[in-house]
C-alpha cells in the first residue's frame, strides 16, 4: 500500500519536473506568445504520466483483489495463467520497485472486465481547462498589469521581483493542478472499477504525511462502501491521497485513519470551517 502511494506520488513528481523544465526555458515577458506551445507540452506531460498512473492502479487493483479473494480479474494487463507471483511482478514493474513476491500456482479467473476504457477526449478537455485556468488566465491578467506599469526598465529590481513572483505562481498553480490530473488517471480508474466489480465491497482512503483538514476528515470516515454512490473520492491540487480497494471484511485500516476518526469524534461536530480550525490547532500541539 505504501509502495503504491509513493509510486503514484513519484508519477506526479515526474510530471512536475518535466513541466518545470519547460517553464524554465520561457521568460516572463515571452510567455504570452508561447501559450500554444506551452499548452501542448503541458497536455503531453500530463497524458504520459496519467497513462502510467492508470497502469499502476490496474496492477495494484488486480494484486489486492487476488490477495484478498484468491482470484484474478480480467481486463487490461491480464495475462493468462496468472499467479500471485506474476501479479507481484507486474506491480513491481509498474511501481519501479521490488516490494513483494508470491507463489507461482495459477489462480482461478474472473473474466469480467471492470476497468474503464481510458477516455482520452475527456482527459484532453480536463488538461485544456486546467491550462486555461492555471496558466492562460494568469498570463492575461499579468499582461494587463504589465501594460499598466508603463515603460519601466527590465533591469529594475522591483520589476524583476514582480516577474519572478508571477512565474512562480504559474508554476505552483499549474503543477499542483496538473499533478492532480496525473494521479486522477489511477484514482478514477479504481473508483470506477469498484462500482463494476461484483467482488468489490468499497474502498478506504490513505493519506500522505501531514494531510490537510479535508483529506484527514475523508480518511477518518474509514471504509466507504460502494452502495454509497454519492461518496466519490475527492482530491485537490498537491493531494497525494489514494483509494485502496476492499474485497473482504478482513481489511485493516491504517493507524492514521483511526487517529483522524478519533479526532473527529473529539471535535464533536460543527461546520467544515470549524473542523478546519480545530484540526489545525490539534495537529500543531
Amino acid at each position: 500500500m505504501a509502495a503504491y502511494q509513493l509510486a503514484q506520488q513519484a508519477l506526479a513528481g515526474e510530471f512536475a519536473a518535466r513541466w518545470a523544465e519547460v517553464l524554465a526555458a520561457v521568460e516572463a515577458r515571452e510567455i504570452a506568445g508561447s501559450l500554444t506551445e506551452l499548452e501542448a507540452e503541458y497536455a503531453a506531460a500530463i497524458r504520459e504520466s496519467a497513462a502510467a498512473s492508470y497502469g499502476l492502479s490496474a496492477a495494484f487493483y488486480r494484486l489486492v483483489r487476488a490477495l484478498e479473494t484468491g482470484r484474478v480479474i480480467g481486463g487490461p494487463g491480464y495475462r493468462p495463467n496468472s499467479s500471485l507471483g506474476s501479479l507481484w511482478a507486474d506491480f513491481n514493474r509498474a511501481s519501479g520497485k521490488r516490494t513483494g513476491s508470491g507463489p507461482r500456482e495459477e489462480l482461478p479467473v474472473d473474466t469480467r472486465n471492470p476497468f474503464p476504457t481510458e477516455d482520452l477526449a475527456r482527459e484532453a478537455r480536463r488538461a485544456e481547462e486546467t491550462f486555461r485556468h492555471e496558466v492562460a488566465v494568469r498570463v492575461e491578467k499579468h499582461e494587463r498589469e504589465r501594460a499598466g506599469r508603463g515603460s519601466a526598465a527590465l533591469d529594475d529590481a522591483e520589476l524583476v521581483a514582480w516577474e519572478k513572483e508571477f512565474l512562480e505562481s504559474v508554476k505552483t498553480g499549474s503543477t499542483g493542478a496538473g499533478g492532480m490530473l496525473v494521479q486522477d488517471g489511477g484514482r478514477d480508474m479504481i473508483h470506477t472499477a469498484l462500482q463494476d466489480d461484483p467482488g468489490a465491497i468499497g474502498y478506504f482512503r490513505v493519506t500522505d504525511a501531514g494531510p490537510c483538514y479535508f483529506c484527514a476528515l475523508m480518511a477518518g470516515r474509514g471504509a466507504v462502501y460502494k452502495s454509497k454512490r454519492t461518496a466519490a473520492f475527492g482530491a485537490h491540487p498537491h493531494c497525494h491521497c489514494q483509494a485502496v480497494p476492499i474485497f473482504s471484511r478482513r481489511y485493516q485500516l491504517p493507524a492514521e485513519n483511526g487517529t483522524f476518526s478519533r479526532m473527529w469524534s473529539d471535535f464533536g461536530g460543527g461546520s467544515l470551517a470549524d473542523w478546519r480550525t480545530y484540526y489545525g490547532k490539534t495537529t500543531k500541539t
Side-chain angles (χ1 to χ4, degrees), residues 62 73-79 110-115:
R62 184 172 279 115
I73 193 75
Y78 167 72
R79 292 188 290 162
D110 291 331
T111 57
R112 183 185 184 95
N113 173 17
F115 300 119

Side-chain angles (χ1 to χ4, degrees), residues 10 13 34 62 83 88 103 212 251 267 273 281:
S34 306
R62 184 172 279 115
S83 65
W88 269 113
C212 72
Y251 68 87
F267 167 59
K281 291 180 178 179

Side-chain angles (χ1 to χ4, degrees), residues 8 20 38 40 53-54 64 68 71 89 109 114 125 140 149 152-153 161 173 177 180 205 214 217 223 244 267 275:
Q8 288 286 12
L38 287 173
S53 173
Y54 180 99
V64 172
E68 292 194 15
R71 304 180 67 85
V109 181
R125 287 194 302 272
E140 291 166 3
R149 293 179 68 94
M180 181 179 72
R205 186 186 195 102
F214 172 79
L217 178 59
V244 176
F267 167 59
W275 162 250

Side-chain angles (χ1 to χ4, degrees), residues 149-219:
R149 293 179 68 94
S151 57
L154 290 178
D155 60 353
D156 177 75
E158 182 181 356
L159 178 60
V160 170
W162 179 66
E163 297 283 30
K164 183 178 180 180
E165 182 180 1
F166 158 67
L167 286 176
E168 191 60 33
S169 72
V170 170
K171 179 181 177 181
T172 300
S174 59
T175 299
M180 181 179 72
L181 295 185
V182 165
Q183 294 179 91
D184 280 351
R187 286 188 289 229
D188 291 349
M189 189 283 292
I190 283 185
H191 196 270
T192 302
L194 286 168
Q195 303 300 330
D196 294 332
D197 183 356
I201 294 176
Y203 72 91
F204 61 85
R205 186 186 195 102
V206 292
T207 69
D208 56 6
C212 72
Y213 73 99
F214 172 79
C215 293
L217 178 59
M218 295 297 101

Side-chain angles (χ1 to χ4, degrees), residues 57-275:
S57 290
F60 178 68
Y61 187 100
R62 184 172 279 115
L63 174 62
V64 172
R65 191 183 194 280
L67 287 170
E68 292 194 15
T69 68
R71 304 180 67 85
V72 64
I73 193 75
Y78 167 72
R79 292 188 290 162
N81 308 316
S82 290
S83 65
L84 283 177
S86 68
L87 296 182
W88 269 113
D90 291 342
F91 176 71
N92 292 341
R93 189 178 307 109
S95 65
K97 293 185 178 180
R98 181 176 174 79
T99 57
S101 61
R104 294 292 175 179
E105 289 81 9
E106 183 177 344
L107 294 170
V109 181
D110 291 331
T111 57
R112 183 185 184 95
N113 173 17
F115 300 119
T117 302
E118 291 181 274
D119 190 338
L120 300 183
R122 174 176 174 270
E123 291 178 11
R125 287 194 302 272
R126 292 185 68 186
E128 180 181 359
E129 292 167 1
T130 300
F131 182 86
R132 171 66 185 166
H133 184 266
E134 298 294 345
V135 180
V137 169
R138 292 174 188 265
V139 170
E140 291 166 3
K141 180 176 182 291
H142 183 73
E143 290 299 299
R144 290 194 299 271
E145 293 176 353
R146 186 206 298 271
R149 293 179 68 94
S151 57
L154 290 178
D155 60 353
D156 177 75
E158 182 181 356
L159 178 60
V160 170
W162 179 66
E163 297 283 30
K164 183 178 180 180
E165 182 180 1
F166 158 67
L167 286 176
E168 191 60 33
S169 72
V170 170
K171 179 181 177 181
T172 300
S174 59
T175 299
M180 181 179 72
L181 295 185
V182 165
Q183 294 179 91
D184 280 351
R187 286 188 289 229
D188 291 349
M189 189 283 292
I190 283 185
H191 196 270
T192 302
L194 286 168
Q195 303 300 330
D196 294 332
D197 183 356
I201 294 176
Y203 72 91
F204 61 85
R205 186 186 195 102
V206 292
T207 69
D208 56 6
C212 72
Y213 73 99
F214 172 79
C215 293
L217 178 59
M218 295 297 101
R221 295 182 302 173
V224 179
Y225 298 104
K226 66 179 184 179
S227 59
K228 297 181 179 179
R229 293 275 179 172
T230 58
F233 191 92
H236 57 80
H238 302 289
C239 174
H240 299 300
C241 294
Q242 303 296 334
V244 176
I246 301 170
F247 302 95
S248 76
R249 299 287 178 175
R250 298 189 303 275
Y251 68 87
Q252 185 173 358
L253 292 173
E256 293 82 1
N257 295 55
T259 298
F260 299 140
S261 180
R262 289 189 293 275
M263 286 177 64
W264 173 256
S265 179
D266 293 341
F267 167 59
S271 69
L272 190 59
D274 292 337
W275 162 250

